[in-house]
Amino acid sequence: MFHKPVLLVIAHGSRDPRHAATVHALVRRVRSLRPGLRVETGFLDFNIPSVQGVLESLAAQGVRDVVALPLLLTRAFHAKADIPAVLRDAPPQLRIRQAEVLGPSPLLLAALERRLYEAGLTPADKPSTGVVLASAGSTDPEAIAVIADIAREWRHTGWCAVRPAFASAGSPAGFPRTEDAVRELRALGCEKVAVAPYVLAPGFLPDRIARGAAEADALSEVLGAAWEVAEVLLERADSAAAAGALSRTA
């Protein structure tokens, strides 16, 4: 008999093998931080195991309570539609609660900054360095507003300037591409320009961000399996598990 909820980390999936490798590395870090917690991984597309397959396997093993955590940085279409739809089709004996997405979080900002220092910047560079906060992109107004808010908040920590940018072709008007944001910060007078990908794992859009950073002085790595990301993941899982009796997502 299982009493503790199983944590199911739900990743988008990608044809790029680096994506799944990064997801699995992050899950390994989560397990190392919480040895008594059972953590499983499911993918919405491209990779296996599928979310549905993991849920069916858990039900067959006698698991009853599951916390489903979207491995996403913003509440956009996948968190609002795709994942709830998959969870509604889970075996009926499972009691499932969907946790909140990872962002925004002060820990994620700390991870972004640490990645920039790993790329060669130092705290002394902050007043003279402009940062491009480069996200994958979204057409969801809530997700767009969150990215803009993160950029404003990060600017207040001492950087010369912080500009949000989107990698996807469907970016809304007013959000530049990475390369355009780099040039904007140069024109603003920033002595250095750095690009910080606000993405979790490598793939097609992060590669586009990297190409857009060609004229920047520094490009940091994706957030990946950073310990800060693992800590946020556990925070979201704990909040969902503590939010009352587990119930099927509506």
Side-chain angles (χ1 to χ4, degrees):
M1 179 63 66
F2 295 84
H3 299 287
K4 291 183 179 179
V6 171
L7 175 58
L8 172 58
V9 176
I10 301 178
H12 181 274
S14 171
R15 292 186 178 90
D16 189 319
R18 296 173 298 167
H19 174 90
T22 302
V23 170
H24 290 310
L26 175 60
V27 169
R28 286 195 298 271
R29 186 179 285 272
V30 171
R31 291 184 181 127
S32 72
L33 292 174
R34 191 74 62 83
L37 177 65
R38 180 176 177 184
V39 188
E40 300 292 341
T41 308
F43 295 90
L44 290 173
D45 205 354
F46 300 117
N47 303 107
I48 55 173
S50 68
V51 176
Q52 188 66 29
V54 174
L55 291 171
E56 291 173 357
S57 176
L58 291 175
Q61 295 169 40
V63 172
R64 290 297 174 263
D65 294 330
V66 176
V67 171
L69 189 142
L71 197 59
L72 301 168
L73 293 172
T74 59
R75 267 181 49 79
F77 181 79
H78 294 305
K80 294 177 179 179
D82 283 353
I83 292 175
V86 173
L87 298 181
R88 281 194 295 269
D89 288 337
Q93 62 267 44
L94 291 177
R95 295 184 293 265
I96 303 173
R97 181 172 295 279
Q98 182 177 330
E100 292 296 329
V101 297
L102 300 180
S105 166
L107 275 172
L108 294 180
L109 264 186
L112 285 168
E113 193 144 316
R114 183 168 64 82
R115 290 292 194 226
L116 283 175
Y117 297 152
E118 291 171 353
L121 297 180
T122 71
D125 291 318
K126 292 182 74 169
S128 60
T129 302
V131 177
V132 177
L133 179 68
S135 70
S138 176
T139 57
D140 184 279
E142 180 181 353
I144 294 167
V146 166
I147 298 299
D149 287 344
I150 292 170
R152 281 192 292 269
E153 180 180 347
W154 205 10
R155 163 67 181 84
H156 294 319
T157 66
W159 295 100
C160 174
V162 179
R163 292 289 187 271
F166 277 178
S168 62
S171 301
F175 267 64
R177 298 175 303 170
T178 303
E179 53 268 41
D180 295 330
V182 169
R183 295 179 187 124
E184 179 185 345
L185 290 172
R186 291 273 190 223
L188 192 64
C190 298
E191 292 179 18
K192 293 182 179 180
V193 177
V195 175
Y198 188 58
V199 292
L200 287 167
F204 175 75
L205 290 178
D207 284 349
R208 181 179 286 174
I209 290 172
R211 291 193 297 272
E215 297 178 16
D217 299 290
L219 168 66
S220 59
E221 296 292 330
V222 298
L223 292 170
W227 68 264
E228 297 95 338
V229 178
E231 290 283 4
V232 174
L233 194 155
L234 286 170
E235 286 180 4
R236 299 291 186 259
D238 289 343
S239 295
L246 296 176
S247 59
R248 183 168 297 279
T249 302

